[in-house]
Amino acid sequence: MKVIVLGAGVVGVTAAWYLAKEGHEVTVIDRQPAAAMETSFANAGQISPGFSSPWAEPALPLKVLRWMAGPHAPIVVRPRLDFAMMRWLEQLLANCNAHDYDVNKSRMLRIATYSRDCLDALRRDTGITYDDEQRGLIQLFRTQKQVDAAARDMKLLDLAGIAHEFLSPDDIARHEPGLMENRHLFQGGLRLPGDESGDCHMFTARLAQKAEEELGVTFHYETNIEALDASASDILGVRTSMGRMTADAYVVSMGSYSPLLLRPLGIRLPVYPTKGYSLTLPVTDPARAPVSTVNDATHKVSITRLGERIRIGGTAELTGYNLRLSRDRRELLELSFSELFGRGGDLSQGAYWTGLRPSTPDGTPVIGPAGRFANLWLNTGHGTLGWTMACGSGRVLADRMSNKRTEIPCLDLSIDRYATA
């Protein structure tokens, strides 16, 4: 088939790669001058299937109320008259129960673990590098309550067959020597040895180049996607700033902007932007810097080593499509890093960035056909885990579009799960 992929972030580019590997003629369209220039540009840098969990957990409503009273809340809702946000929050709260949490987390673990395996195979096949490390991830618990809550997640990790181990503060310091001086802050930690890290922008840019040079994928950058033309049952073309383009099939991978494109077609995609932030700074003292990735469970901040740089990422802000950089969000990132690694990196040289994560209320991405349009496919809604789930999502999508049997169950990842919501 001739396939047009809308969006050149990590999710769109990996989908294009796997579609081209299946022999399809693939064109990718994006408004930016190069691949991975928006949400994929400076994310947290972690590929973390073991850390895949929905925000919609039973304790979330009380946590949000408690955070509202403090200056450094990990999740912030900026009040606004926005029906889409209110509807999304309503659906999020509906998922805040033990049953839905277990179902959603199991789905996320399935696609995320598969995606890591696909990435490993891609790395072996292509030799691609991206400041990548395969050294695992440690989630840091500062309170006994956090340790107790982790016990439920560890049971789900057992069921999913994901390797993990609980660490004492001294164990944590052995894996991450930069935390030695501050190990008294922790009650313990959860280590996920199968998790990885790497620069998502570097990976996506290099994979796009390989896709173009080795597989013949065509990229149209600096091209605005304006609308989809449709009949009652098919997409007829995509209107762009470079003119109308047509194909046999169309894939929507436009992140948080996907629902805006689909709404005129009557498709209600439950994806809303959750704004995230990051700081990227140089390593100043390797002995005090992270070796791999740590997640601060208290501040919901991740700290990742990317070569000679450190990426500090986190926080979630519901404020529509606003891309202004908030001072209080930077303060939270700096606070977590200062408490954990202090002199390991120079915060004064930190490059501050924000991006809009395309999040679903249940945390699970939307991968599959789009309702009544036979040739329209969705690959979006990955939230904070786009980098983690990208390769697996692209492979699943390519297999389904090629009428091949998928290697993992994936029917429950489609938009159909929201039909009765």
Side-chain angles (χ1 to χ4, degrees), residues 300-373:
K300 308 297 184 187
V301 168
S302 66
I303 303 171
T304 302
R305 180 73 169 265
L306 298 174
E308 296 305 311
R309 300 166 295 149
I310 299 170
R311 175 73 49 77
I312 312 166
T315 88
E317 187 177 21
L318 270 69
T319 182
Y321 292 84
N322 178 349
L323 283 167
R324 286 195 300 271
L325 291 165
S326 299
R327 177 63 207 175
D328 63 329
R329 301 293 85 199
R330 178 168 186 153
E331 289 173 354
L332 177 60
L333 299 178
E334 291 180 344
L335 173 66
S336 179
F337 180 80
S338 297
E339 290 177 343
L340 300 181
F341 291 101
R343 290 166 288 175
D346 188 351
L347 286 169
S348 68
Q349 296 186 49
Y352 192 30
W353 171 89
T354 188
L356 302 177
R357 311 179 187 110
S359 301
T360 60
D362 61 11
T364 311
V366 180
I367 309 168
R372 71 180 190 274
F373 299 104

Side-chain angles (χ1 to χ4, degrees), residues 281-297:
L281 48 139
V283 173
T284 53
D285 185 347
R288 290 183 169 86
V291 171
S292 182
T293 295
V294 300
N295 281 344
D296 183 346

Side-chain angles (χ1 to χ4, degrees), residues 401-415:
M401 291 180 68
S402 304
N403 294 316
K404 292 178 63 176
R405 183 183 180 90
T406 58
E407 294 181 329
I408 61 169
C410 61
L411 295 181
D412 57 351
L413 302 177
S414 75
I415 196 173

Side-chain angles (χ1 to χ4, degrees), residues 177-212:
L179 293 172
M180 179 66 72
E181 294 180 3
N182 297 319
R183 66 189 186 281
H184 63 280
L185 295 175
F186 314 122
Q187 295 294 316
L190 176 63
R191 181 170 180 261
L192 299 155
D195 286 9
E196 305 178 5
S197 59
D199 187 317
C200 181
H201 173 256
M202 186 185 298
F203 169 86
T204 308
R206 291 179 176 178
L207 189 65
Q209 183 178 5
K210 285 180 176 291
E212 187 172 29

Side-chain angles (χ1 to χ4, degrees), residues 263-285:
R263 191 176 300 158
L265 302 178
I267 298 173
R268 180 182 287 182
L269 180 65
V271 167
Y272 193 81
T274 52
K275 188 177 178 183
Y277 294 83
S278 75
L279 278 170
T280 305
L281 48 139
V283 173
T284 53
D285 185 347

